[in-house]
Amino acid sequence: MPEQLTPRQILDRLVAFPTVSRGSNLDLVDWVESYLASWGVAAHRVYNETGDKAALYASAGPAVEGGVILSGHSDVVPVDGQDWSSDPWTVTERDGRLYGRGTCDMKGFVALALAAVPLAVQRGVKRPLQFALSYDEELGCTGAPPMIAEMARTLPRASAAVIGEPSRMKLVNGHKGGTGFWVHVKGFEVHSSLLPEGVSAIMEAARLIQWMNDRNDENRAKPVTEIAGLFRPPFTTLHSGQISGGTAHNITAADCRFVMEFRVVPGESVEDWAARFEAECTRVEAAMKAVRPEAAVLLDRIFVVPALTPETNGAAEALVRRLTGDNGTMVVSYGTEAGQFQAEGYSAVVCGPGDIAQAHQTDEYLEVSEFEAGWRFMQALVEDLVQ
């Protein structure tokens, strides 16, 4: 008889793997794959280009349509510069909370999903419980799409996908989409007294940032659509949170680099917004090249996350409402992999233990009561799949 670990025991194992996005997750994947195999459940890996990270998916139960996907990510954010009260890579319980990096975001849900797999095997589910584990969610949900595409191609189609980002076990049926760029503005250095003969990368970058400010003003002022009105704020936002450049106060800057992101309400196109920004970069670049042909605006697309749009009579929403009794409606302005599942044709929602306010924080924690509520959800889900 294989070892059947409790959800808490699995959580202890998962947190002990320091799967910060900048490093490999293969040690954790090895352990998860081995645990699933001990219960006769074969897992399949989808590697990144360099082979140092992998997504993992598996299916427990008969190879029929109508199952449910439980999806989470393996990566966590760094603890660098954070003053933790206990070891971030060891789950520490105190005052009704489980402290540790990733307990909330989102190894708590992953542990619960893994604990549900043996239960599904033992109960003899009639529809499969499918498990999905991605990488690099924290870098822009970049690891999930190849995994989702392979699942859609190789597994019987599931009727619902539950992405377990922290929502206090409340149903989230919509979120904004997003995309982002690293922008490298290349200028031409001259003494600042000869400004018209050079190109200041900083001042040209400022034109692009002002374009973003202008679009925010326009979006804030235009009429709010019904679906946008569900969100806070109820419009698409453009933002730059990092910028660097220049060498001295009296030299036109040769380089300026900044990052920009869009948070796009459902009903508007992420790609349309990206194309508008690219067109503005082309316009600014042309004016720069008219002064110095060496000048340029270089773009590096760093992530694309489709919006999760509330579904009419969605199977995933109906499932979570049935299992949790939650009749409320909640949307969020951050992105998740739920939008990527929906883009692949799955009915998808977000529902998981924990509070998003704890994600990425010093002394990140998951309430024990939330973890227990998550386990009740998993038990109810398996019973639903038995019917």
Side-chain angles (χ1 to χ4, degrees):
M1 185 71 178
E3 182 182 16
Q4 186 167 2
L5 301 177
T6 66
R8 171 60 195 276
Q9 288 172 323
I10 296 175
L11 179 61
D12 289 347
R13 301 284 183 91
L14 296 179
V15 171
F17 293 104
T19 49
V20 175
S21 303
R22 64 187 174 219
S24 174
N25 72 337
L26 293 184
D27 287 347
L28 182 148
V29 168
D30 288 344
W31 185 86
V32 171
E33 186 174 45
S34 177
Y35 184 67
L36 292 173
S38 73
W39 286 95
V41 176
H44 308 272
R45 299 189 185 199
V46 183
Y47 284 95
N48 67 349
E49 292 182 357
T50 57
D52 63 341
K53 298 180 183 181
L56 189 80
Y57 68 91
S59 183
V64 299
E65 295 186 348
V68 174
I69 299 169
L70 298 175
S71 178
H73 59 82
S74 62
D75 57 317
V76 297
V77 297
V79 298
D80 304 11
Q82 294 184 336
D83 185 17
W84 281 66
S85 301
S86 55
D87 182 359
W89 309 115
T90 300
V91 179
T92 303
E93 182 173 349
R94 59 180 185 271
D95 302 323
R97 297 170 175 176
L98 301 171
Y99 289 86
R101 174 56 85 222
T103 52
C104 177
D105 183 23
M106 59 181 299
K107 290 180 177 179
F109 179 84
V110 174
L112 293 166
L114 282 171
V117 172
L119 196 60
V121 172
Q122 292 169 328
R123 294 288 294 126
V125 292
K126 295 178 181 177
R127 292 176 290 131
L129 179 67
Q130 296 178 2
F131 173 78
L133 183 68
S134 70
Y135 62 87
D136 283 359
E137 189 273 348
E138 300 292 0
L139 300 182
C141 298
T142 59
M147 173 190 69
I148 297 169
E150 187 166 312
M151 292 176 69
R153 188 173 63 251
T154 63
L155 295 181
R157 173 70 61 162
S159 63
V162 179
I163 290 73
E165 291 284 357
S167 70
R168 302 196 69 90
M169 293 307 299
K170 298 294 184 182
L171 172 72
V172 172
N173 63 355
H175 65 63
K176 290 185 178 183
T179 192
F181 294 88
W182 272 109
V183 185
H184 179 192
V185 182
K186 297 181 66 176
F188 187 83
E189 288 184 324
V190 297
H191 193 278
S192 60
S193 65
L194 302 174
L195 178 66
E197 299 177 19
V199 175
S200 169
I202 290 175
M203 296 178 72
E204 298 304 321
R207 298 184 195 277
L208 296 173
I209 293 172
Q210 185 56 48
W211 181 87
M212 294 161 59
N213 285 328
D214 291 343
R215 301 295 79 73
N216 282 330
D217 290 343
E218 290 175 0
N219 290 346
R220 186 182 292 109
K222 68 185 182 183
V224 176
T225 64
E226 181 178 356
I227 192 168
L230 299 173
F231 291 85
R232 178 175 175 237
F235 53 86
T236 293
T237 57
L238 294 75
H239 173 253
S240 179
Q242 291 176 277
I243 187 169
S244 63
T247 55
H249 75 89
N250 58 353
I251 303 174
T252 58
D255 295 281
C256 182
R257 292 176 171 85
F258 67 94
V259 65
M260 70 87 61
E261 65 170 25
F262 296 91
R263 302 282 179 171
V264 181
V265 293
E268 296 182 9
S269 168
V270 170
E271 293 307 319
D272 285 352
W273 274 107
R276 290 180 65 182
F277 180 65
E278 289 168 342
E280 182 63 13
C281 289
T282 299
R283 188 191 68 78
V284 170
E285 182 184 66
M288 293 164 58
K289 285 183 175 295
V291 179
R292 295 297 312 191
E294 304 94 330
V297 179
L298 307 177
L299 298 179
D300 181 16
R301 191 87 172 264
I302 49 179
F303 71 91
V304 181
V305 180
L308 175 66
T309 303
E311 302 167 0
T312 301
N313 300 319
E317 183 173 331
L319 171 72
V320 171
R321 290 195 189 283
R322 187 167 69 249
L323 298 183
T324 64
D326 181 10
N327 293 318
T329 298
M330 185 165 66
V331 299
V332 294
S333 291
Y334 55 82
T336 78
E337 294 168 343
Q340 294 171 325
F341 275 95
Q342 189 179 67
E344 192 64 49
Y346 291 100
S347 176
V349 294
V350 175
C351 184
D355 188 333
I356 193 63
Q358 285 303 313
H360 307 178
Q361 299 300 304
T362 302
D363 286 346
E364 175 184 349
Y365 67 81
L366 173 64
E367 297 277 359
V368 172
S369 59
E370 292 272 327
F371 197 50
E372 292 172 343
W375 182 231
R376 290 193 295 272
F377 175 90
M378 295 299 173
Q379 292 171 304
L381 172 60
V382 169
E383 291 307 310
D384 193 80
L385 295 172
V386 171
Q387 306 305 315

